[in-house]
């Protein structure tokens, strides 16, 4: 059966353990199109082509083109979901601060952690016949807190039917960026205060041992002293707000000529002490978060972006929810530390 003859229906959104695109792919595998003009497209994109729906560009279709037939209307919720995800992925720094990403199919998730004392972190010589040192891995006491984040799409079909998808897509991407900003705030909250399992980040303050200097001022000495607290981990990632970002960029020891050229020409920030630097509005003023991204944070998601497909297919756009369910937990508490300036 070719992609032109598939029967599309609402039930394709209700397949347990499968997304709409996965259901389409099972019926119309992309591997069948190798060496053809449609190579590189997925099953959903081929359905858009089938109904002549162009999602981007000056000649993009209008919203009402999705609703010309019963079959094409079934594609609309997936279009909304994909476009929202595009907005979520733009300027998304979560992949840069998470060590693992887990997708679950339930609302309950209990993560694990390693119980390691200082001597457990050393690989000592083992004499013949003696026990090998053990590292215990246990389940955390509390479940990962999953939060439902989303936006309500409020508009009448009459208001949207003649709008071009190129413009409508911008609105959906903006919803995605709002959701992603909230997810980042959730991640920062867990990094600083822990995930409810008594694992907040160790906090240091400028002007208080072992960090020298004067409160309110961040210099190279303070940055190095903060970096030194991470052994045996490596501070390879820094999160801070705009106030401390400005101070970091002004530190003389970090003003490598190439760094200045890169920042002025491309907006790419430098890497102080080898750490990837991210500006994050969710980090409070005067706070700098350092972490070893390889061991710090796990992102847990209950599926992908969810849309109320029944309402969207039936053109009941007055109130259609777009949501995602995500939570975060700390893997190694010592891999995250906070510096108050």
């Amino acid at each position: 059966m070719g992609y032109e003859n598939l029967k599309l229906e609402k039930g394709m959104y209700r397949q347990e353990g499968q997304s709409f695109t996965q259901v389409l792919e099972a019926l119309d595998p992309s591997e069948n199109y190798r060496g053809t003009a449609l190579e590189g497209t997925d099953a959903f994109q081929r359905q858009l082509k089938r109904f002549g729906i162009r999602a981007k560009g000056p000649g993009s279709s209008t919203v009402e083109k999705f609703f010309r037939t019963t079959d094409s209307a079934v594609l609309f919720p997936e279009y909304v979901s994909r476009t929202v995800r595009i907005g979520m992925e733009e300027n998304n720094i979560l992949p840069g601060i998470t060590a693992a990403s887990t997708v679950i199919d339930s609302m309950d998730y209990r993560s694990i952690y390693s119980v390691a004392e200082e001597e457990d972190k050393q690989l000592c010589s083992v004499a013949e016949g003696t026990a090998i040192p053990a590292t215990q891995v246990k389940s955390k006491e509390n479940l990962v807190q999953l939060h439902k984040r989303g936006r309500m799409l409020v508009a009448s079909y009459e208001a949207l039917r003649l709008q071009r998808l190129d413009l409508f897509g911008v609105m959906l991407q903006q919803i995605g960026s709002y959701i992603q900003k909230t997810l980042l705030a959730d991640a920062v909250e867990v990094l600083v205060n822990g995930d409810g399992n008594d694992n907040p980040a160790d906090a240091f303050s400028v002007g208080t041992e072992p960090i020298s200097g004067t409160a309110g001022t961040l210099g190279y000495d303070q940055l190095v002293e903060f970096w030194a607290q991470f052994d045996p981990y490596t501070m390879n990632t820094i999160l801070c707000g705009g106030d401390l970002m400005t101070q970091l960029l002004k530190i003389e020891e970090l003003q490598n000529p190439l760094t200045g050229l890169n920042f002025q020409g491309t907006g790419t920030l430098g890497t102080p002490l080898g750490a990837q630097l991210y500006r994050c509005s969710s980090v409070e003023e005067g706070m700098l978060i350092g972490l070893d991204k390889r061991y710090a944070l796990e992102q847990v998601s209950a599926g992908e972006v969810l849309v109320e497909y029944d309402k969207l297919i039936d053109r009941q756009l007055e109130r259609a929810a777009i949501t995602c369910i995500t939570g975060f937990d700390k893997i190694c508490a010592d891999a995250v530390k906070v510096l108050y300036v």
Side-chain angles (χ1 to χ4, degrees), residues 32-332:
N32 293 343
Y33 296 88
R34 291 177 183 173
T36 72
L38 294 176
E39 183 176 6
T41 63
D42 64 22
F44 175 75
Q45 292 168 329
R46 290 191 290 274
Q47 289 303 306
L48 292 183
K49 179 177 177 61
R50 169 188 176 185
F51 294 103
I53 299 173
R54 184 174 179 180
K56 295 185 68 67
S60 62
S61 304
T62 59
V63 172
E64 73 171 351
K65 194 158 188 178
F66 274 104
F67 301 98
R68 295 282 176 83
T69 69
T70 303
D71 283 291
S72 61
V74 175
L75 300 173
F76 190 57
E78 178 65 11
Y79 163 77
V80 171
S81 177
R82 287 188 174 213
T83 310
V84 169
R85 288 200 299 271
I86 291 174
M88 293 177 65
E89 291 165 1
E90 290 179 348
N91 302 316
N92 178 21
I93 69 173
L94 282 177
I97 65 174
T98 51
S101 181
T102 303
V103 178
I104 61 176
D105 57 2
S106 68
M107 292 301 295
D108 294 328
Y109 179 75
R110 192 183 302 275
S111 189
I112 57 175
Y113 71 106
S114 172
V115 184
E117 301 296 337
E118 190 60 37
E119 58 270 18
D120 295 327
K121 300 175 184 178
Q122 304 174 11
L123 294 181
C124 302
S125 177
V126 180
E128 184 176 352
T130 61
I132 298 176
T135 296
Q136 297 184 45
V137 177
K138 296 183 177 181
S139 296
K140 289 188 176 180
E141 181 179 351
N142 296 319
L143 297 172
V144 175
Q145 295 185 19
L146 299 179
H147 302 284
K148 187 174 184 178
R149 306 296 192 189
R151 287 266 170 169
M152 190 69 71
L153 179 62
V154 181
S156 66
Y157 174 67
E158 288 72 22
L160 293 179
R161 58 185 291 266
L162 297 180
Q163 293 297 325
R164 296 285 176 182
L165 292 174
D166 204 35
L167 175 60
F168 182 54
V170 173
M171 304 294 106
L172 295 176
Q173 289 176 39
Q174 186 179 49
I175 291 175
S177 69
Y178 290 152
I179 295 174
Q180 193 61 43
K181 185 176 181 180
T182 306
L183 295 182
L184 180 57
D186 290 341
V188 169
E189 169 69 18
V190 170
L191 286 173
V192 175
N193 298 314
D195 56 18
N197 287 283
D198 193 25
N199 54 2
D202 292 336
F204 302 86
S205 298
V206 171
T208 302
E209 189 68 27
I211 311 297
S212 64
T214 304
T217 302
L218 179 63
Y220 187 70
D221 290 347
Q222 291 73 51
L223 198 59
V224 171
E225 290 161 355
F226 183 56
W227 170 86
Q229 308 308 312
F230 278 81
D231 184 58
Y233 298 103
T234 300
M235 186 181 73
N236 52 35
T237 306
I238 293 176
L239 291 173
C240 63
D243 60 323
L244 290 188
M245 181 69 74
T246 302
Q247 291 195 43
L248 283 171
L249 294 176
K250 290 181 179 179
I251 294 177
E252 184 177 352
E253 290 84 351
L254 302 179
Q255 291 181 0
N256 182 301
L258 291 178
T259 299
L261 289 174
N262 286 336
F263 180 60
Q264 295 173 29
T266 67
T268 302
L269 298 170
T271 55
L273 305 183
Q276 181 63 52
L277 186 59
Y278 294 107
R279 183 176 62 180
C280 177
S281 60
S282 301
V283 179
E284 66 181 62
E285 187 174 331
M287 175 190 287
L288 183 147
I289 302 173
L291 62 139
D292 189 331
K293 69 175 184 179
R294 301 170 300 172
Y295 304 104
L297 194 68
E298 177 187 19
Q299 180 176 354
V300 182
S301 303
E304 300 180 343
V305 174
L306 303 176
V307 298
E308 293 185 309
Y309 58 86
D310 276 320
K311 290 185 177 181
L312 293 179
I313 292 173
D314 295 336
R315 296 184 291 183
Q316 298 172 3
L317 297 181
E318 283 77 5
R319 296 184 67 84
I322 302 170
T323 61
C324 69
I325 302 173
T326 304
F328 299 89
D329 76 278
K330 294 178 78 168
I331 302 173
C332 299

